[in-house]
Amino acid sequence: METATATDRQTLPEPDPQQRRSLRQSNHAAESQRHLMVSLAALVAMVLVSLSIHGVLDGWGWLPNVMFTAAAVLTATAGTRSLRWPPVLSLGAGLLTLAGVLVWQFFRDQSFLGIIPGSQATERLASLLENAETTVASELAPVAPGEGVLLITCAATGLAALLIDTLAITCRMPATSGIPLLAVLSIPAIILPDSVGVPAFTAAAAGYIFLLATGQWRESFEAQGRAAAAVYLARAATIGAAALSLALVLPAMVPGFTTGTFPQGSRLQWWTAASGLDPSVTLGNSLREPDGSGRITYATTADEPLYLRLTTLEDFSGRRWQPEQRMDSRRTGIRQMGLSAGLPVGGGNLISTRIDTRSFTSPWLLAPYAPMSITGVDGRWTWDPRTLTVLSATGETSAGQSYQVTSSVPELTREVLAGSAPVGNDEVDARFSYLSEDLPTVVRETASNLTSDLINPYNKAMAIQNYLRGGDFTYSLQAPVEGNYDGTGLEVIGRFLEVKAGYCVHFAGAMAVMARLAGIPSRVAVGYAPGDPTGNAVLVGGEQLPEFAVDSKDAHAWPELYFRGAGWVRFEPTPSRGVVPDYAQQPATPPNLPVEDDLRPDGLSMPDTGTSPTPAPGLSGSGTPGTPIPSGVEPGMTVVALVLLFLAAAPFLIRAARSGGRKRRFLRSNPQQAASIAWAETTESAVDHGYTPGAAETPRAFTSRLMQQARFNSQAVDSLTRLRHALEMQMYAAAKVQPVPGTVSPTWADVQEVRRALWGSKTLPARLRARLLPRSLRRRY
C-alpha cells in the first residue's frame, strides 16, 4: 500500500523541553476552556429541565437550592479537570461536593464546619426522609417543598448533573447525556395530569439542544479549528431547533394526541393501583375526571351512613393550608385513644364501624368522629389528643387495611347547642382561634354583618351556614379557575366571598374563618361524605350490617366548630352537597334538595355518553381528592434510577478513564515510550468497534487490514501509518539510530483521528455498543 523510505523509518528530533512543556500547557488550557463551555452548557440544561418540576413542587422557592446544588457539583468537576486529575478522581470530587452541599443546606446544625456530618445527622436524615414520605403519600401535586422533599430533589438533581458531566465531558457523549435529563423530565410527565406542558418541554429541549451543540462545537474545534467549529455550532443549533419545532407541531396534527406526555402525547400511567386523598387542600390545577377511583367500603352499626374523617386543618395563616403533624405531642396506643383524650363528646352513643381501605393510600387513617378505639390495623400508628386524627409513626400507609373503629356519637339537638355558652379563653387550644392580621376586609365585614347582632354561638354558626347555603352562592368548579383564586389562603377566601362561587373547600374554609371572627373555635375536616350502599352485608360485632362504598366522587371538606359541653360539631355550608345534620337544618330548606356530595358541578348523576366526564374539584393542587396517585413513587425513586444509570455507565466510564490515563502518560513520555502507549490506545479503539488483531498478526498486517475494512480516508490513513511507523521504530530499530530531519512524529491527534474514522465506519447501534460495552475491557492490547 505504501513505499517505505529512509525518511519514513526515522523520526524528527525532539523539540526543546521548555517549548514542549509550554506547548502542552497551552494545549491543556485551551482544552480546559472548551470543557468548561460544555460544563456551563450542562448547567444550563440541568436548570432548564428542572423548571418542569414546577407543578410537582409548589411555588418556586425550591429552585435556588436546586441551582446551587447543580452548580456546585459541576464547578467541582470542572475545577479538578483543569488540574488534570484522572476522570475517576474528578467523579469522586463531584460526589464529595454533592454530599458536602447537601450537608451544608440541610444538616448545618448537625455538622462540623457546616459540611462534615456529626453524630446527630443520621437522626436528622431519618426525620427528613420520614417527612418526605409523609408528604408524598398524603398530598397530590403540587406538594409543599418541605425540607425532606427538598433534600431528595437536590440530591437527585446533583446526581443527574454529575452524570451529565461524566457523559458529556469525560466520555465525550453529549447525546447520551440526555438520559438523565429525560429521567428528570419524566417525573412531571407522569405525575401531572397535563404532563409537562409546552413551556416546560420547550425549555428542557432547548437545554438539551444547547448541550448537544456545545459538545459538537468542542469536537469540531479540536478536529478542524475555530472557523469550522462555528459552522458546526450553528448547524447543530439549527437542526435542534427544527427538531424541537417538529416535536411541538406534529402532535397537534395527529388525532388523539391532544394531552399527555412530552408535551402532547398519550399519557403514561405507570402506577394506577393505589389512590389517596390530599389533605393539604391545595386548589391549583384541581380539575380531574371523577372516575370513581380509590374505592373504600365500610359497614356500621349507626342508624345512617357516616362521614369518614381523615385529618383536620387548623392553621389558616399561610398561603397553603395543610395538616399539622405535631409529632412531639402525639400519643401511641390507638386501641384506647378516646378514653384518655378527655374531650367532651356529650355522652354519646358508641357505634362500631368496619372499614376496608382497599387501594386507598395515605399516612392518615380514616375513622368516623369521634374515634375511641381502633383495632385490627397493621403497623404503628399515633393519635393527636387535640384532633383525634391518626397518623402513621413509621411510614406505613392505609392501603390494604381492614380494621374496626369504635366511635362516640354525641346526641346533638338544636336545644343542646343553643344552650351552649361562649367558649372560655383557656378551654380550647389557641391555635383553633388564631387569625392573622392581614385578613381581607371582605371577610371581616361579611362576618360582622352576619353575627354582630347575635350573642349565642349556635345562632352565629347557623347564620354563617345559612348565608353560604343561600341562593347568593353557587357551587362551581370553573369559577375559581377563571377568577384566578383556585388555591388556598385568606386571600382566596376573600375572593370567594366576592365572586360567591366555588366548591366544598371554599365553603368550608369561609365558614371556619368567619366562625373564628365570631368567637367560635373552628377547623376544617377533610375526608369523605357518606357514600352509597353496595347491596352487600358485612359481619360487624356478630351482626350482619349493610355495606357502603365511597370513592373519589365522595371526597369532601367540611367545618367543625367547638361548643362548650358538646365538643367539636360538624356543619355543612356547601350547598347541595353532603348531608346537613338535623341540628343544623334550615327550616326553609326545600325537601327535595340534593344531598349527595359527588363533587360534580351539577351535583347530579351523569349519564354514560362514552366521553370523558366533567372534571371534579379537588383538595389538592393537581386534582380531585381521591384521584389515583402513584403508589410506587417513593421519595428516593429518582435517586435509585440515577444510581442504576450510573452503574450501567460503568463500562464506558472505566474505558474513558483508561484512555485519559494513556493520554497523560503519552504527553509525559519520550518518543519511544509514547509510541507503544499510542498504539495500545489505537488497538483497543479498533477492538471496541469489532476489529480485533489476530494472535499472529503483525502491526503492519493489522493496519493494512484495518484501513481496508474500515474504509479509512486519507487523513486517517496518514495518522494510522505514523502510529504504526513509530511502533516499528521502537520495536525493531537500533537504539543508536538518530532521527532524520523532515519526518513527522505521531501525536495524540493521530489517535483521535483514527477514533473518528472507526466511529464513522459503523452503524449507530454498533457505535453505541462500542461506547457502552467496550470489548477491550475483557483484556488489554
Side-chain angles (χ1 to χ4, degrees):
M1 179 176 294
E2 55 188 326
T3 302
T5 65
T7 301
D8 294 331
R9 290 191 293 267
Q10 301 186 51
T11 58
L12 282 174
E14 284 297 302
D16 181 79
Q18 185 175 358
Q19 293 179 350
R20 180 169 179 172
R21 188 181 307 110
S22 176
L23 180 62
R24 285 204 306 266
Q25 292 175 350
S26 177
N27 291 338
H28 178 73
E31 184 181 37
S32 298
Q33 291 176 359
R34 292 191 290 272
H35 287 330
L36 180 59
M37 287 299 298
V38 182
S39 295
L40 292 175
L43 177 60
V44 171
M46 194 68 240
V47 172
L48 289 177
V49 77
S50 297
L51 299 180
S52 65
I53 303 177
H54 178 64
V56 177
L57 301 182
D58 188 32
W60 292 100
W62 51 270
L63 187 58
N65 297 79
V66 169
M67 294 177 61
F68 174 70
T69 302
V73 170
L74 294 175
T75 300
T77 56
T80 56
R81 195 174 289 114
S82 66
L83 296 175
R84 305 185 184 183
W85 286 21
V88 174
L89 294 182
S90 181
L91 177 63
L95 289 172
L96 288 177
T97 301
L98 174 59
V101 168
L102 294 178
V103 170
W104 185 80
Q105 291 184 93
F106 302 99
F107 304 91
R108 198 177 312 173
D109 296 336
Q110 296 81 29
S111 62
F112 302 103
L113 303 177
I115 57 174
I116 303 175
S119 58
Q120 298 179 340
T122 303
E123 182 178 352
R124 164 75 168 167
L125 175 62
S127 175
L128 291 179
L129 293 180
E130 182 178 352
N131 175 269
E133 184 175 11
T134 300
T135 300
V136 171
S138 64
E139 297 186 19
L140 299 176
V143 301
E147 287 190 297
V149 173
L150 191 56
L151 167 63
I152 293 174
T153 303
C154 289
T157 302
L159 284 174
L162 184 58
L163 185 56
I164 292 171
D165 178 87
T166 303
L167 292 172
I169 301 178
T170 303
C171 301
R172 309 180 80 95
M173 299 173 64
T176 311
S177 64
I179 295 177
L181 294 175
L182 181 63
V184 174
L185 196 63
S186 297
I187 298 173
I190 295 168
I191 294 177
L192 298 180
D194 294 327
S195 187
V196 296
V198 172
F201 172 76
T202 304
Y208 181 48
I209 291 170
F210 180 53
L211 179 59
L212 284 177
T214 307
Q216 180 64 32
W217 167 83
R218 177 193 58 188
E219 297 298 330
S220 58
F221 190 102
E222 294 180 356
Q224 304 180 35
R226 186 182 303 274
V231 174
Y232 276 101
L233 177 62
R235 183 183 304 172
T238 302
I239 295 174
L244 176 58
S245 301
L246 184 63
L248 296 174
V249 174
L250 184 60
M253 304 171 60
V254 179
F257 278 65
T258 56
T259 59
T261 305
F262 300 151
Q264 306 290 328
S266 56
R267 176 157 161 73
L268 297 176
Q269 292 285 355
W270 290 1
W271 301 279
T272 57
S275 60
L277 184 145
D278 184 355
S280 65
V281 196
T282 305
L283 299 179
N285 262 344
S286 65
L287 302 179
R288 284 273 183 91
E289 295 181 357
D291 55 359
S293 59
R295 190 170 187 264
I296 303 164
T297 59
Y298 72 93
T300 180
T301 58
D303 297 332
E304 57 186 15
L306 300 172
Y307 276 66
L308 299 181
R309 195 181 65 149
L310 191 70
T311 186
T312 60
L313 313 169
E314 50 265 5
D315 184 1
F316 302 147
S317 59
R319 186 180 65 87
R320 180 188 180 99
W321 297 352
Q322 56 189 17
E324 296 184 41
Q325 297 184 11
R326 289 192 288 269
M327 299 302 296
D328 56 339
S329 61
R330 302 189 74 86
R331 303 179 186 178
T332 58
I334 61 175
R335 295 178 63 91
Q336 298 182 353
M337 51 185 292
L339 298 178
S340 59
L343 296 181
V345 293
N349 299 320
L350 294 181
I351 63 169
S352 295
T353 305
R354 162 86 175 273
I355 300 176
D356 291 293
T357 59
R358 300 174 182 251
S359 64
F360 177 79
T361 301
S362 175
W364 304 87
L365 204 63
L366 286 166
Y369 191 77
M372 308 292 288
S373 173
I374 301 179
T375 58
V377 63
D378 296 330
R380 294 183 55 210
W381 299 81
T382 62
W383 59 279
D384 187 349
R386 297 181 182 88
T387 61
L388 293 183
T389 56
V390 182
L391 177 65
S392 171
T394 55
E396 293 93 348
T397 69
S398 60
Q401 300 275 9
S402 180
Y403 54 95
Q404 187 163 316
V405 183
T406 300
S407 304
S408 175
V409 180
E411 296 180 354
L412 299 175
T413 62
R414 290 174 177 269
E415 292 72 22
V416 169
L417 296 177
S420 177
V423 178
N425 294 332
D426 300 330
E427 187 171 343
V428 182
D429 194 308
R431 73 184 65 217
F432 297 108
S433 301
Y434 174 79
L435 285 173
S436 61
E437 297 180 356
D438 56 348
L439 195 64
T441 303
V442 64
V443 180
R444 293 186 182 276
E445 292 179 349
T446 303
S448 177
N449 293 337
L450 294 174
T451 63
S452 60
D453 296 334
L454 303 174
I455 299 177
N456 186 280
Y458 172 73
N459 292 337
K460 294 180 179 181
M462 287 300 298
I464 298 172
Q465 177 184 272
N466 292 347
Y467 172 71
L468 294 173
R469 292 184 65 87
D472 293 339
F473 284 83
T474 304
Y475 184 91
S476 172
L477 294 173
Q478 299 302 326
V481 178
E482 296 171 354
N484 196 28
Y485 61 95
D486 190 24
T488 55
L490 295 176
E491 292 297 330
V492 171
I493 297 300
R495 182 62 176 159
F496 162 71
L497 291 177
E498 293 174 349
V499 178
K500 294 183 172 58
Y503 41 91
C504 60
V505 172
H506 300 95
F507 287 93
M511 182 167 182
V513 172
M514 289 193 289
R516 292 188 181 187
L517 287 170
I520 308 173
S522 66
R523 63 195 185 197
V524 172
V526 180
Y528 290 93
D532 302 307
T534 64
N536 300 327
V538 177
L539 185 64
V540 178
E543 183 180 358
Q544 291 288 340
L545 299 174
E547 182 184 60
F548 297 86
V550 297
D551 53 36
S552 61
K553 299 188 301 297
D554 303 295
H556 194 42
W558 61 92
E560 292 179 347
L561 277 56
Y562 187 87
F563 289 85
R564 174 177 290 182
W568 291 97
V569 179
R570 172 176 61 86
F571 284 81
E572 187 53 83
T574 308
S576 73
R577 295 299 186 272
V579 177
V580 181
D582 292 339
Y583 55 79
Q585 288 283 352
Q586 304 177 41
T589 300
N592 295 326
L593 185 68
V595 295
E596 180 187 4
D597 187 359
D598 59 4
L599 298 187
R600 290 183 290 236
D602 56 4
L604 303 175
S605 298
M606 301 180 64
D608 185 5
T609 60
T611 60
S612 298
T614 303
L619 296 179
S620 92
S622 66
T624 304
T627 307
I629 63 174
S631 62
V633 180
E634 296 295 335
M637 184 173 184
T638 303
V639 177
V640 173
L642 291 175
V643 170
L644 292 177
L645 287 174
F646 179 77
L647 293 177
F652 61 78
L653 290 178
I654 296 174
R655 178 69 179 88
R658 181 188 295 181
S659 177
R662 285 199 180 109
K663 180 179 179 180
R664 287 187 294 274
R665 293 198 306 274
F666 176 87
L667 296 176
R668 293 194 300 265
S669 303
N670 57 48
Q672 286 74 23
Q673 294 174 334
S676 61
I677 295 173
W679 182 256
E681 180 62 26
T682 303
T683 305
E684 289 194 1
S685 298
V687 171
D688 291 340
H689 289 82
Y691 305 106
T692 305
E697 197 171 24
T698 64
R700 184 176 292 265
F702 174 62
T703 55
S704 298
R705 178 170 61 88
L706 182 60
M707 288 186 289
Q708 181 179 5
Q709 292 180 349
R711 299 179 181 178
F712 278 11
N713 56 29
S714 59
Q715 291 180 339
V717 169
D718 292 341
S719 294
L720 186 57
T721 300
R722 280 191 292 270
L723 293 168
R724 187 254 298 169
H725 278 187
L727 179 68
E728 290 178 337
M729 290 292 294
Q730 175 186 338
M731 294 174 62
Y732 307 122
K736 294 183 179 180
V737 173
Q738 298 296 322
V740 176
T743 59
V744 179
S745 299
T747 65
W748 196 258
D750 290 320
V751 178
Q752 294 176 325
E753 183 63 37
V754 173
R755 283 177 179 169
R756 280 190 285 269
L758 291 169
W759 180 266
S761 69
K762 293 292 185 177
T763 61
L764 180 59
R767 296 173 186 173
L768 294 178
R769 186 164 55 248
R771 287 291 180 91
L772 299 177
L773 298 172
R775 296 179 177 89
S776 61
L777 292 182
R778 300 173 186 175
R779 52 168 292 193
R780 286 182 177 271
Y781 291 86

